[in-house]
C-alpha cells in the first residue's frame, strides 16, 4: 500500500501569515491527490482534488501543487476559521490511504 | 442538497458484531461508489472499505479484511458496513463518504465503542 507522509505534524502560524503543508507519497500517485480540512467535532471537508483544483466553495487563499510523490498545500493568509487539521489522501491506488495529518494552530 | 446520515453505532463487546448504515439523499446514489472511513477520537483518518456503484466490486483495508463486509441497496439509497469479530482497535467514529475520485461529501459519523 502507498504510505502518505505529512509534515510537519504541527504548524504554529499567526493569523494573516502564510502556511505551507507538505505531503509525500511512497510511490507516484500522479495527480490523484486530495486535501481535506477537519475541525473539532466535524467531518472532514474536501478542499483540493487533482492536487491543485479547489473544491466548490473553497476560498482562493487555499492552493495545492505537486505531482508524482511530492505535494504542497498553501494557505496564503491564515484566517481564524482555517485553524484545523489537514489531511492528504491519494486516490490513485487501492487501498486509498491518508496522511497522518498536520494540525495548524494559532501561534 | 447531498446528505449522508450514518446510524447503527454503539457499544459492543470484543468479538461482537455491529451493522452500520448510511442513508443517502440529494444525489443519484446508484451512480457513485461509496466509502467507509474511520477515526479514533483525537487520531487520524483511516480508510476502511469501498464499494462500486453497482455493488459488484469491493475493497477493504488489510486491518478489516475477512471481518467486515460492505454492501449497498441502491433501491433504498443505503450503504452498509457489517462488522464482525470486533476488536478494541476497531473503536472510533465511522464516516461514510461519496467517491467522486476524491471523497467529496461526508456524513457526520457514527461512534463505535468496543469494550467489555
Amino acid at each position: 500500500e502507498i504510505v502518505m507522509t505529512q509534515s510537519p505534524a504541527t504548524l504554529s502560524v499567526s493569523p494573516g501569515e502564510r502556511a505551507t503543508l507538505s505531503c509525500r507519497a511512497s510511490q507516484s500517485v500522479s495527480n490523484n491527490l486530495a486535501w481535506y480540512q477537519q475541525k473539532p467535532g466535524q467531518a472532514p471537508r474536501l478542499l483540493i482534488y487533482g492536487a491543485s483544483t479547489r473544491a466548490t466553495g473553497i476560498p482562493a487563499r487555499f492552493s495545492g501543487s505537486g505531482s508524482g510523490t511530492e505535494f504542497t498545500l498553501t494557505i496564503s493568509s491564515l484566517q481564524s476559521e482555517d485553524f484545523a487539521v489537514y489531511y492528504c489522501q491519494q486516490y490513485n491506488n487501492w487501498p486509498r490511504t491518508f496522511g497522518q495529518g498536520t494540525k495548524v494552530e494559532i501561534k | 442538497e447531498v446528505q449522508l446520515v450514518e446510524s447503527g453505532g454503539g457499544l459492543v463487546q470484543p468479538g461482537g458484531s455491529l451493522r452500520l448504515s448510511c442513508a443517502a439523499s440529494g444525489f443519484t446514489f446508484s451512480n457513485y461508489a461509496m466509502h467507509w472511513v474511520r477515526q479514533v477520537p483525537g487520531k487520524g483518518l483511516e480508510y476502511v472499505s469501498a464499494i462500486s456503484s453497482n455493488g459488484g466490486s469491493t475493497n477493504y483495508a488489510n486491518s478489516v479484511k475477512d471481518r467486515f463486509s460492505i454492501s449497498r441497496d441502491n433501491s433504498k439509497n443505503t450503504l452498509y458496513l457489517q462488522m464482525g469479530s470486533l476488536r478494541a482497535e476497531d473503536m472510533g467514529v465511522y464516516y461514510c463518504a461519496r467517491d467522486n475520485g476524491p471523497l467529496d461529501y461526508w456524513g457526520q459519523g457514527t461512534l463505535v465503542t468496543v469494550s467489555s
Side-chain angles (χ1 to χ4, degrees):
Chain A
E1 88 179 31
I2 296 177
V3 177
M4 307 300 292
T5 303
Q6 291 185 242
S7 60
T10 304
L11 189 59
S12 298
V13 185
S14 299
E17 288 188 341
R18 182 186 196 92
T20 302
L21 290 67
S22 295
C23 175
R24 174 177 293 178
S26 60
Q27 65 188 75
S28 177
V29 298
S30 185
N31 68 336
N32 296 313
L33 189 285
W35 290 93
Y36 302 87
Q37 177 193 66
Q38 188 179 33
K39 297 179 181 179
Q42 296 185 15
R45 176 175 72 145
L46 177 65
L47 292 178
I48 301 283
Y49 64 94
S52 61
T53 303
R54 281 189 302 277
T56 303
I58 301 303
R61 65 181 180 271
F62 291 92
S63 63
S65 64
S67 67
T69 61
E70 300 283 344
F71 301 89
T72 300
L73 173 69
T74 301
I75 312 171
S76 59
S77 176
L78 271 156
Q79 306 298 303
S80 57
E81 62 266 30
D82 301 335
F83 292 96
V85 180
Y86 294 83
Y87 296 94
C88 62
Q89 182 220 17
Q90 65 82 18
Y91 52 96
N92 195 64
N93 288 63
W94 296 98
R96 307 306 197 214
T97 44
F98 293 89
Q100 78 278 22
T102 291
K103 181 179 181 180
V104 177
E105 64 176 25
I106 301 174
K107 187 174 181 180
Chain B
E1 179 195 5
V2 172
Q3 281 200 316
L4 298 169
V5 179
E6 302 92 339
S7 61
L11 174 64
V12 61
Q13 292 187 337
S17 299
L18 207 57
R19 187 175 86 154
L20 306 183
S21 299
C22 169
S25 60
F27 66 102
T28 304
F29 182 68
S30 59
N31 285 355
Y32 291 87
M34 297 293 295
H35 289 228
W36 288 99
V37 176
R38 68 186 180 186
Q39 184 174 39
V40 174
K43 302 297 184 183
L45 301 171
E46 181 188 12
Y47 166 81
V48 173
S49 183
I51 187 168
S52 61
S53 58
N54 66 1
S57 179
T58 59
N59 185 273
Y60 298 91
N62 288 335
S63 57
V64 306
K65 204 171 291 184
D66 301 325
R67 299 188 299 120
F68 289 12
S69 178
I70 190 171
S71 62
R72 64 191 296 160
D73 186 336
N74 285 346
S75 69
K76 295 182 178 179
N77 291 342
T78 303
L79 174 72
Y80 302 101
L81 185 68
Q82 180 69 47
M83 304 187 294
S85 303
L86 282 161
R87 307 166 180 167
E89 55 264 36
D90 295 317
M91 275 201 299
V93 176
Y94 283 70
Y95 297 101
C96 64
R98 189 177 82 167
D99 182 336
N100 199 12
L103 301 178
D104 62 351
Y105 287 95
W106 297 63
Q108 284 303 302
T110 187
L111 178 63
V112 172
T113 303
V114 182
S115 175
S116 53

